[in-house]
Amino acid sequence: MFNKVNKTYRYFLTQRPFTVGSVPNMDRIVNSKEFMNKSFIPTIGQEAWGYIEYKESLDKDVCKQYELKESYDFSSFLNPKASSIRKVSPFFLEEDENEWVDENRTIIESLSNALRSNFVLVKKEVERVGKIVSEYFVINQSLINIDEFVEELTGKAGIDFGQYNEMYYINLYNDSFTNKIDGEDFSGYDMEKYKFKNIDIANLPSNVSKYILKQIKKDMPIIPLPEIMYEKLI
């Protein structure tokens, strides 16, 4: 049912041009580009001298040492070990639209079948030009079904769906932005990521269950959740 997510890892040189000693593991680089001038890159939200690509990700400490910034890779919003149901790119061409819409329906059905508990835990991450803002909430399925919730979201643009262990992922690709550098377009999408998980309110920590029950009495279909409570449920 699911296909493995394959990708390369792109890192931008934020402080110095590409030279020997300015980047790690030169023998592992599968692609690179040096710009004529230091230029603004939409997918990292800052200027860079160029980029290098690897088949495997670099350690965060290595990136810090060499002052590299990883490109915002849309597929990375799935857990690296997750698998995705989508076959047609979320950046679909017009001729792909019918197939893309069919896959969208399949994605929504799959998520709806997987998330059948009365309450669904959700983490929302909004990515805009390298900055991430997180929100946490619980969906009360007695008032709004998960498929209704997702169908409202998918009116925006592209969607990916993946699964890893007990967590389900949806990626939404929204407004596009592009910067042309040395004849090459560097495009990105503002993006939202949603993580979903079934929860049983009877098995939650008492302070969390009391909080949710209090909000249920207000007939709230979407119950905001403090981050500290969310972390207790993961």
Side-chain angles (χ1 to χ4, degrees), residues 182-201:
D182 299 348
E184 182 177 351
D185 285 337
F186 289 82
S187 300
Y189 281 70
D190 286 340
M191 199 178 154
E192 295 177 17
K193 172 188 178 182
Y194 291 81
K195 293 182 180 179
F196 302 89
K197 182 180 180 181
N198 288 307
I199 57 173
D200 181 357
I201 197 168

Side-chain angles (χ1 to χ4, degrees), residues 129-147:
V129 198
K131 297 180 180 180
I132 296 178
V133 177
S134 298
E135 298 177 23
Y136 312 88
F137 50 91
V138 171
I139 296 176
N140 181 354
Q141 291 211 81
S142 66
L143 297 177
I144 180 172
N145 292 330
I146 193 70
D147 54 346

Side-chain angles (χ1 to χ4, degrees), residues 5-136:
V5 177
N6 296 314
K7 65 173 185 175
T8 57
Y9 297 83
R10 176 177 292 187
Y11 298 87
F12 285 90
L13 290 74
T14 63
Q15 301 301 318
R16 59 189 64 84
F18 184 97
T19 57
V20 176
S22 67
V23 297
N25 305 325
M26 292 194 66
D27 59 325
R28 291 169 49 199
I29 295 173
V30 295
N31 190 27
S32 65
K33 181 167 185 173
E34 184 175 0
F35 306 140
M36 293 180 63
N37 300 291
K38 194 176 185 182
S39 304
F40 179 78
I41 309 298
T43 52
I44 64 172
Q46 65 185 85
E47 293 183 336
W49 290 99
Y51 65 80
I52 50 179
E53 291 182 343
Y54 300 89
K55 286 187 177 180
E56 298 179 354
S57 62
L58 296 175
D59 184 83
K60 289 182 179 180
D61 289 338
V62 172
C63 291
K64 184 176 181 180
Q65 177 184 349
Y66 287 88
E67 298 178 289
L68 302 175
K69 179 80 171 183
E70 185 174 5
S71 175
Y72 171 47
D73 185 333
F74 308 109
S75 65
S76 71
F77 256 61
L78 287 175
N79 184 299
K81 296 181 180 179
S83 49
S84 177
I85 196 173
R86 180 162 293 288
K87 298 183 179 67
V88 179
S89 169
F91 313 109
F92 60 90
L93 302 175
E94 188 173 348
E95 56 265 30
D96 298 326
E97 185 168 1
N98 288 338
E99 188 174 354
W100 181 88
V101 169
D102 288 340
E103 286 191 5
N104 231 42
R105 293 194 189 99
T106 302
I107 287 168
I108 293 172
E109 288 175 4
S110 299
L111 192 65
S112 180
N113 289 333
L115 299 170
R116 292 186 171 276
S117 63
N118 291 332
F119 300 95
V120 177
L121 182 67
V122 184
K123 179 180 181 180
K124 173 184 177 182
E125 293 180 351
V126 179
E127 166 86 21
R128 289 192 174 92
V129 198
K131 297 180 180 180
I132 296 178
V133 177
S134 298
E135 298 177 23
Y136 312 88

Side-chain angles (χ1 to χ4, degrees), residues 149-163:
F149 176 81
V150 173
E151 282 174 355
E152 289 184 12
L153 297 177
T154 54
K156 294 183 177 181
I159 177 174
D160 273 340
F161 169 60
Q163 177 185 2

